[in-house]
Amino acid sequence: MKYLIANWKAQMTLNDILEWLRVFMLSLQNNQTLITKLKNNELSIVICPPFPFIPTVRDHIKNITGMYVGAQDVSTVAQGKYTGEVTADALKDIADYVIVGHSERREHFHETEKQIELKMSLADQYSIRSIQCVRNEQDAIYDHAKLIAYEPVEAIGTGANAAVEDVLSMKKRLSIPENVPFLYGGSADTSNIHDYLKTHEVDGFLVGTASLDAKEFYQMAIQMIS
Ligand code: PGA
């Protein structure tokens, strides 16, 4: 099973998303091979929009087996009087996955290891699968991680994706638990994912910039099944 995950970050409006879905779903619906591979669990596509647009995306993909929706964050609190928080309990019926521990949250929102672990534990309680991001071997990997995404900070949003050898050597140093898929993230796009895929050591990609373009993201999906 391979994973292609779109992390739209704080970059899309409702109109952008409706247009993205129109273009992507049109291409997908005309590609029986891709539909079949999604159905056969050869590839999972996960779209992580900003919170307000989760239901919209969910609605558009609901008839495609193998396509899922993810949140970009989840609260550290279970429930209660915490204005503005979005809990795992609230997400459980609308999101299948959640991104946790992204370096942008660690840096800009001072997210700590303790908070990351708490978020993943809450997600797990509600059967939301955590995509845990790690920057290097200094970041802990938690039992609650259902997928691990190695994202070197210098490769994120820069166009300078990490060298394949560096990703493979980091994979060894990270000691990924058996059966936990290992993803790469950091300027992944159609020009470079093949290099990682051909090693058979990388199970998928967490994609920021290239995922904003529906056609580019669709082409990445095609590369992943060919
Ligand atoms: P990028 O972002 O593809 O724009 O480098 C990846 C990420 O931050 O998850």
Side-chain angles (χ1 to χ4, degrees), residues 50 94 172 213:
I94 54 170
K172 284 206 189 85
D213 180 334

Side-chain angles (χ1 to χ4, degrees), residues 57-69:
V57 172
R58 190 172 189 79
D59 197 44
H60 279 75
I61 65 167
K62 63 175 184 255
N63 295 327
I64 306 288
T65 307
M67 273 193 84
Y68 303 90
V69 188

Side-chain angles (χ1 to χ4, degrees), residues 7 9 102 104 133 151 155-159 185-188 206-210:
N7 175 12
K9 309 187 182 183
H102 194 286
E104 288 159 5
C133 302
E151 297 207 310
I156 297 179
T158 58
S187 301
L206 181 53
V207 189
T209 313

Side-chain angles (χ1 to χ4, degrees), residues 82-198:
Y82 300 99
T83 302
E85 288 300 284
V86 179
T87 63
D89 189 19
L91 286 170
K92 70 176 184 298
D93 300 318
I94 54 170
D96 310 294
Y97 288 84
V98 62
I99 299 171
V100 182
H102 194 286
S103 58
E104 288 159 5
R105 296 214 61 82
R106 295 179 196 250
E107 186 192 345
H108 304 305
F109 303 96
H110 314 293
E111 217 166 80
T112 63
E113 287 289 344
K114 200 166 169 230
Q115 289 173 317
I116 289 166
E117 188 176 18
L118 198 48
K119 287 177 180 202
M120 293 184 22
S121 149
L122 283 164
D124 219 3
Q125 275 175 42
Y126 290 96
S127 303
I128 301 167
R129 292 164 61 80
S130 289
I131 303 158
Q132 191 195 345
C133 302
V134 293
R135 300 164 296 180
N136 52 48
E137 69 271 47
Q138 255 87 64
D139 292 341
I141 287 178
Y142 297 104
D143 290 347
H144 297 290
K146 298 293 183 280
L147 295 93
I148 309 273
Y150 166 50
E151 297 207 310
V153 173
E154 62 280 5
I156 297 179
T158 58
N161 64 297
V164 177
E165 315 78 77
D166 295 346
V167 173
L168 298 190
S169 93
M170 182 56 78
K171 183 184 177 188
K172 284 206 189 85
R173 275 179 279 152
L174 287 171
S175 335
I176 307 291
E178 226 179 295
N179 302 326
V180 175
F182 173 73
L183 315 181
Y184 167 73
S187 301
D189 61 26
T190 47
S191 75
N192 56 45
I193 58 170
H194 178 69
D195 297 338
Y196 302 101
L197 289 171
K198 70 182 182 206

